[in-house]
Amino acid sequence: MTESPDRVPKERISIELKRLPWAKDLSETALREFAEVGEWVQYQAGDYVHRAEEPMKFVYFIVSGRLQATLFDSLGNQILEKSLVRGSVFGLFSVAIADQSRTNVVATEASSVIRLELQTMLKIVAKHADLQMCVYRLAAGIVKQIIEVDRTLSQPSVVGMVHQSEASRPLTRQLLTRLQQIESHPCVATDDPQWRPIDGVPSRVIFKNGELFTAQQSGELLKEWSQFGRIFIDLRGNHSLEHLARMFSYVDAVLWCVRPDDAKTAIGTLRALQERVAGLKSKVRLVWLLDNQTQVAPHEPEQRQLVERDFKVSFESPSKQQSRLLQQGIERIIHYLRGIQIGLALGGGAARGMAHLGVLKALEQNGIVIDMLAGTSAGAMTGTVYASGMDADYAVECFKTDLSLPWAYRQMPGGGYWYLLRKYRKNKFDPMLRKYLGQARLEQLAIPMLTVTVDLVEGVQVVRGTGDATHAILESINLPVLSNPRVSSGRALVDGGLVNNIPADVLVENGCNFVLASSVTAQLEQDFMDIRSARTTPKFKLFSALQVLMRGQLVQAFNMNAIGVEPADFVIESDVSAFDLSEFSRADEMAIAGAEAANESAAKLKQLLSQLDPKLFPPS
């Protein structure tokens, strides 16, 4: 603890209270009395705010920074872990329990809280009906989070925008303009002397005569703007480390905007700031500004140590062979600011997985922006290619061309399966995919992509979110018998469909709070090798071992659909049961079936999204 409560002016406590979302509707009288009795306490990273073996004496209202709360059961087993950020509260329930609290709370970065003793809080709450209602809402929010009814993620209310060059300055305007459409009163403090005001968006230039506002001036501005819902602090990245560190102390999150040419400089600045700003990584989101020639972000090995996640954005219109993923990057940032992350799980199903490309195209055309993809087997292949920025229609044509049967295989019974066997055994998938992906890594793609495979050594699923994108696909589509396991780092990796054919659960585990699933195995044709469709039952039928194997995989996927897909909020089921598992030559027809299924579901899907955030997804 670095500061005693009585050293902080009560006026500052009142100002900081006004900036908290839950306190915005409090009367001036309630705010003033809360500030009078509240104690301001600051913690450094690593400080214990509360230990599990001690009784809970206070209720804590988090003003800035980040705390980590860990709950234990009566036997000392950890049962819950949660980050607490600005606007969170803890101790609201534990403080009323006579027994000792079983919660550890540790500051993971420099943090400030307002704390009240139980009796003090009860007295002030009893006096003010509006404060009483706020406390009830806070308690209800805690209950919602525990039972997973409330899915909203944290929504940073003070956002830093750092521009490594002037090229990314338009992003601030676009974000503010979009937020103005769905929120009330965003505002911006900027060091841009050329800033052109936006109607309805209060702004202040805070860089004059070569100097930024002082700490006192910044504090006065935050006080003046305490009633606004979202504050942006917009700066160039070439300010002193002292000024940038001070900006970090004010904000909940930082969008650090870079072009590929600026990456080394940005990483160097962030590395230097890491020594000054505790918990820097948890606040920073890198925003890559890309163009049509640079569809894939650079690979910066240090990035994952310095940055929580990234976004890829482009101001240019896509070329004919490119999707709109980069142009949608701005909307993904809006999703993040609104506490939304939409994931789409793509299931396995051999050639039938081509229907996923139709689903992806239809979602794009319906204005449904996906923040993260996860795929198994064919879902990993189609999803990764799409996540690289390739247009879905163009990808369909590429797969159709690359996997169409040569003349000799078209003359053979089950020729499609023998052709796939050859592609696997001769390692032909690698060069085929590298024509489009090159040496790109998963973390460089336009949106996050997770692939699922299975390790035969430990018998567990392996989820890839980093590393060579082509290798990640090859691991996930690696059907046993058709191909040998891919051995790497003590693992023997095969097709992920063995344990998780539609990995919606993987998206939930990675922070998505609304999950879609695209299934191509929900419907299974009730025939195999024309056994039922034949006019007479043959006395003997020669089954191809490959056809039996692929049918077995399909039956397994059909029966496992409910496992990984269970957490999905919405499932799009494409009826591609009329297509053979090896018919990649009909990829365009399957994509049409996927698009039809997605378009038929679009209205209902939008209705569900409007329940999640009616401002971001207004009901039609």
mmCIF file of all heavy atoms in Angstrom, residues 452-457 459-462 475-476 485-486 491-500:
data_model
loop_
_atom_site.group_PDB
_atom_site.id
_atom_site.type_symbol
_atom_site.label_atom_id
_atom_site.label_comp_id
_atom_site.label_asym_id
_atom_site.label_seq_id
_atom_site.Cartn_x
_atom_site.Cartn_y
_atom_site.Cartn_z
ATOM 1 N N VAL A 452 -8.052 -27.221 -34.228
ATOM 2 C CA VAL A 452 -8.131 -28.307 -33.258
ATOM 3 C C VAL A 452 -7.569 -29.586 -33.866
ATOM 4 O O VAL A 452 -7.947 -29.984 -34.974
ATOM 5 C CB VAL A 452 -9.586 -28.542 -32.802
ATOM 6 C CG1 VAL A 452 -9.673 -29.723 -31.844
ATOM 7 C CG2 VAL A 452 -10.127 -27.289 -32.132
ATOM 8 N N THR A 453 -6.678 -30.223 -33.142
ATOM 9 C CA THR A 453 -6.122 -31.513 -33.527
ATOM 10 C C THR A 453 -6.074 -32.401 -32.286
ATOM 11 O O THR A 453 -6.456 -31.968 -31.196
ATOM 12 C CB THR A 453 -4.711 -31.335 -34.145
ATOM 13 O OG1 THR A 453 -4.232 -32.590 -34.602
ATOM 14 C CG2 THR A 453 -3.738 -30.751 -33.137
ATOM 15 N N VAL A 454 -5.650 -33.648 -32.439
ATOM 16 C CA VAL A 454 -5.620 -34.606 -31.326
ATOM 17 C C VAL A 454 -4.225 -35.198 -31.202
ATOM 18 O O VAL A 454 -3.608 -35.575 -32.209
ATOM 19 C CB VAL A 454 -6.642 -35.748 -31.536
ATOM 20 C CG1 VAL A 454 -6.527 -36.783 -30.429
ATOM 21 C CG2 VAL A 454 -8.048 -35.191 -31.570
ATOM 22 N N ASP A 455 -3.740 -35.256 -29.973
ATOM 23 C CA ASP A 455 -2.451 -35.876 -29.689
ATOM 24 C C ASP A 455 -2.686 -37.326 -29.274
ATOM 25 O O ASP A 455 -3.318 -37.601 -28.245
ATOM 26 C CB ASP A 455 -1.739 -35.114 -28.566
ATOM 27 C CG ASP A 455 -0.439 -35.780 -28.138
ATOM 28 O OD1 ASP A 455 0.118 -36.551 -28.934
ATOM 29 O OD2 ASP A 455 0.008 -35.509 -27.006
ATOM 30 N N LEU A 456 -2.178 -38.270 -30.087
ATOM 31 C CA LEU A 456 -2.361 -39.697 -29.779
ATOM 32 C C LEU A 456 -1.507 -40.141 -28.602
ATOM 33 O O LEU A 456 -1.784 -41.177 -27.995
ATOM 34 C CB LEU A 456 -2.007 -40.537 -31.012
ATOM 35 C CG LEU A 456 -2.930 -40.392 -32.229
ATOM 36 C CD1 LEU A 456 -2.442 -41.296 -33.360
ATOM 37 C CD2 LEU A 456 -4.372 -40.716 -31.869
ATOM 38 N N VAL A 457 -0.477 -39.389 -28.249
ATOM 39 C CA VAL A 457 0.390 -39.766 -27.132
ATOM 40 C C VAL A 457 -0.351 -39.601 -25.806
ATOM 41 O O VAL A 457 -0.427 -40.523 -24.987
ATOM 42 C CB VAL A 457 1.686 -38.930 -27.130
ATOM 43 C CG1 VAL A 457 2.545 -39.279 -25.916
ATOM 44 C CG2 VAL A 457 2.477 -39.166 -28.429
ATOM 45 N N GLY A 459 -3.637 -38.489 -25.665
ATOM 46 C CA GLY A 459 -5.061 -38.699 -25.845
ATOM 47 C C GLY A 459 -5.905 -37.470 -25.579
ATOM 48 O O GLY A 459 -7.042 -37.587 -25.121
ATOM 49 N N VAL A 460 -5.361 -36.285 -25.874
ATOM 50 C CA VAL A 460 -6.085 -35.039 -25.599
ATOM 51 C C VAL A 460 -6.112 -34.174 -26.851
ATOM 52 O O VAL A 460 -5.295 -34.331 -27.757
ATOM 53 C CB VAL A 460 -5.425 -34.254 -24.439
ATOM 54 C CG1 VAL A 460 -5.500 -35.037 -23.144
ATOM 55 C CG2 VAL A 460 -3.971 -33.911 -24.779
ATOM 56 N N GLN A 461 -7.077 -33.244 -26.878
ATOM 57 C CA GLN A 461 -7.112 -32.303 -27.990
ATOM 58 C C GLN A 461 -6.038 -31.240 -27.804
ATOM 59 O O GLN A 461 -5.675 -30.882 -26.680
ATOM 60 C CB GLN A 461 -8.493 -31.668 -28.115
ATOM 61 C CG GLN A 461 -8.788 -30.544 -27.169
ATOM 62 C CD GLN A 461 -10.109 -29.852 -27.491
ATOM 63 O OE1 GLN A 461 -10.886 -30.286 -28.341
ATOM 64 N NE2 GLN A 461 -10.394 -28.755 -26.812
ATOM 65 N N VAL A 462 -5.531 -30.740 -28.923
ATOM 66 C CA VAL A 462 -4.530 -29.679 -28.926
ATOM 67 C C VAL A 462 -5.111 -28.526 -29.740
ATOM 68 O O VAL A 462 -5.531 -28.711 -30.884
ATOM 69 C CB VAL A 462 -3.204 -30.154 -29.536
ATOM 70 C CG1 VAL A 462 -2.207 -29.004 -29.613
ATOM 71 C CG2 VAL A 462 -2.630 -31.317 -28.737
ATOM 72 N N GLU A 475 -2.215 -30.558 -39.496
ATOM 73 C CA GLU A 475 -2.433 -31.348 -38.280
ATOM 74 C C GLU A 475 -3.916 -31.657 -38.103
ATOM 75 O O GLU A 475 -4.285 -32.766 -37.733
ATOM 76 C CB GLU A 475 -1.921 -30.570 -37.065
ATOM 77 C CG GLU A 475 -0.422 -30.407 -37.010
ATOM 78 C CD GLU A 475 0.019 -29.406 -35.958
ATOM 79 O OE1 GLU A 475 -0.863 -28.767 -35.335
ATOM 80 O OE2 GLU A 475 1.239 -29.242 -35.772
ATOM 81 N N SER A 476 -4.764 -30.669 -38.365
ATOM 82 C CA SER A 476 -6.189 -30.830 -38.078
ATOM 83 C C SER A 476 -6.909 -31.694 -39.099
ATOM 84 O O SER A 476 -7.906 -32.335 -38.775
ATOM 85 C CB SER A 476 -6.861 -29.456 -38.002
ATOM 86 O OG SER A 476 -8.155 -29.557 -37.482
ATOM 87 N N PRO A 485 0.485 -40.020 -38.472
ATOM 88 C CA PRO A 485 0.437 -38.899 -37.525
ATOM 89 C C PRO A 485 1.591 -37.928 -37.783
ATOM 90 O O PRO A 485 2.687 -38.328 -38.180
ATOM 91 C CB PRO A 485 0.582 -39.583 -36.159
ATOM 92 C CG PRO A 485 0.135 -40.985 -36.385
ATOM 93 C CD PRO A 485 0.536 -41.326 -37.785
ATOM 94 N N ARG A 486 1.344 -36.659 -37.563
ATOM 95 C CA ARG A 486 2.393 -35.642 -37.686
ATOM 96 C C ARG A 486 3.074 -35.527 -36.332
ATOM 97 O O ARG A 486 2.466 -35.084 -35.354
ATOM 98 C CB ARG A 486 1.794 -34.309 -38.130
ATOM 99 C CG ARG A 486 1.200 -34.368 -39.534
ATOM 100 C CD ARG A 486 0.663 -33.008 -39.951
ATOM 101 N NE ARG A 486 1.731 -32.029 -40.083
ATOM 102 C CZ ARG A 486 2.472 -31.856 -41.174
ATOM 103 N NH1 ARG A 486 2.293 -32.635 -42.240
ATOM 104 N NH2 ARG A 486 3.404 -30.922 -41.214
ATOM 105 N N ARG A 491 4.639 -35.112 -29.635
ATOM 106 C CA ARG A 491 3.228 -35.371 -29.888
ATOM 107 C C ARG A 491 3.041 -36.065 -31.226
ATOM 108 O O ARG A 491 3.810 -35.837 -32.167
ATOM 109 C CB ARG A 491 2.424 -34.059 -29.890
ATOM 110 C CG ARG A 491 2.272 -33.427 -28.510
ATOM 111 C CD ARG A 491 1.698 -32.038 -28.627
ATOM 112 N NE ARG A 491 1.215 -31.536 -27.345
ATOM 113 C CZ ARG A 491 0.909 -30.282 -27.098
ATOM 114 N NH1 ARG A 491 1.045 -29.383 -28.059
ATOM 115 N NH2 ARG A 491 0.471 -29.906 -25.915
ATOM 116 N N ALA A 492 1.996 -36.880 -31.317
ATOM 117 C CA ALA A 492 1.608 -37.520 -32.572
ATOM 118 C C ALA A 492 0.212 -37.005 -32.907
ATOM 119 O O ALA A 492 -0.777 -37.407 -32.285
ATOM 120 C CB ALA A 492 1.611 -39.038 -32.430
ATOM 121 N N LEU A 493 0.120 -36.106 -33.886
ATOM 122 C CA LEU A 493 -1.099 -35.333 -34.104
ATOM 123 C C LEU A 493 -1.904 -35.848 -35.293
ATOM 124 O O LEU A 493 -1.363 -36.082 -36.381
ATOM 125 C CB LEU A 493 -0.734 -33.865 -34.320
ATOM 126 C CG LEU A 493 0.054 -33.235 -33.161
ATOM 127 C CD1 LEU A 493 0.576 -31.869 -33.562
ATOM 128 C CD2 LEU A 493 -0.807 -33.135 -31.911
ATOM 129 N N VAL A 494 -3.228 -35.998 -35.053
ATOM 130 C CA VAL A 494 -4.145 -36.456 -36.101
ATOM 131 C C VAL A 494 -5.407 -35.596 -36.077
ATOM 132 O O VAL A 494 -5.560 -34.694 -35.247
ATOM 133 C CB VAL A 494 -4.520 -37.943 -35.912
ATOM 134 C CG1 VAL A 494 -3.299 -38.836 -36.054
ATOM 135 C CG2 VAL A 494 -5.209 -38.166 -34.561
ATOM 136 N N ASP A 495 -6.325 -35.901 -36.975
ATOM 137 C CA ASP A 495 -7.557 -35.136 -37.178
ATOM 138 C C ASP A 495 -8.293 -34.838 -35.865
ATOM 139 O O ASP A 495 -8.593 -35.734 -35.077
ATOM 140 C CB ASP A 495 -8.480 -35.937 -38.108
ATOM 141 C CG ASP A 495 -9.647 -35.120 -38.620
ATOM 142 O OD1 ASP A 495 -10.456 -34.662 -37.796
ATOM 143 O OD2 ASP A 495 -9.757 -34.946 -39.840
ATOM 144 N N GLY A 496 -8.613 -33.550 -35.648
ATOM 145 C CA GLY A 496 -9.275 -33.143 -34.412
ATOM 146 C C GLY A 496 -10.679 -33.666 -34.253
ATOM 147 O O GLY A 496 -11.241 -33.653 -33.148
ATOM 148 N N GLY A 497 -11.296 -34.132 -35.357
ATOM 149 C CA GLY A 497 -12.655 -34.640 -35.285
ATOM 150 C C GLY A 497 -12.802 -35.879 -34.419
ATOM 151 O O GLY A 497 -13.925 -36.260 -34.065
ATOM 152 N N LEU A 498 -11.692 -36.517 -34.067
ATOM 153 C CA LEU A 498 -11.767 -37.696 -33.190
ATOM 154 C C LEU A 498 -12.359 -37.350 -31.834
ATOM 155 O O LEU A 498 -13.009 -38.190 -31.202
ATOM 156 C CB LEU A 498 -10.374 -38.313 -33.002
ATOM 157 C CG LEU A 498 -9.741 -39.011 -34.198
ATOM 158 C CD1 LEU A 498 -8.359 -39.528 -33.832
ATOM 159 C CD2 LEU A 498 -10.616 -40.163 -34.679
ATOM 160 N N VAL A 499 -12.135 -36.111 -31.359
ATOM 161 C CA VAL A 499 -12.619 -35.762 -30.026
ATOM 162 C C VAL A 499 -13.512 -34.518 -30.014
ATOM 163 O O VAL A 499 -14.293 -34.327 -29.079
ATOM 164 C CB VAL A 499 -11.447 -35.536 -29.033
ATOM 165 C CG1 VAL A 499 -10.663 -36.812 -28.831
ATOM 166 C CG2 VAL A 499 -10.543 -34.400 -29.489
ATOM 167 N N ASN A 500 -13.409 -33.628 -31.014
ATOM 168 C CA ASN A 500 -14.174 -32.376 -30.978
ATOM 169 C C ASN A 500 -14.410 -31.900 -32.403
ATOM 170 O O ASN A 500 -13.603 -31.167 -32.960
ATOM 171 C CB ASN A 500 -13.414 -31.320 -30.167
ATOM 172 C CG ASN A 500 -14.285 -30.124 -29.818
ATOM 173 O OD1 ASN A 500 -15.404 -29.995 -30.294
ATOM 174 N ND2 ASN A 500 -13.763 -29.244 -28.985
#
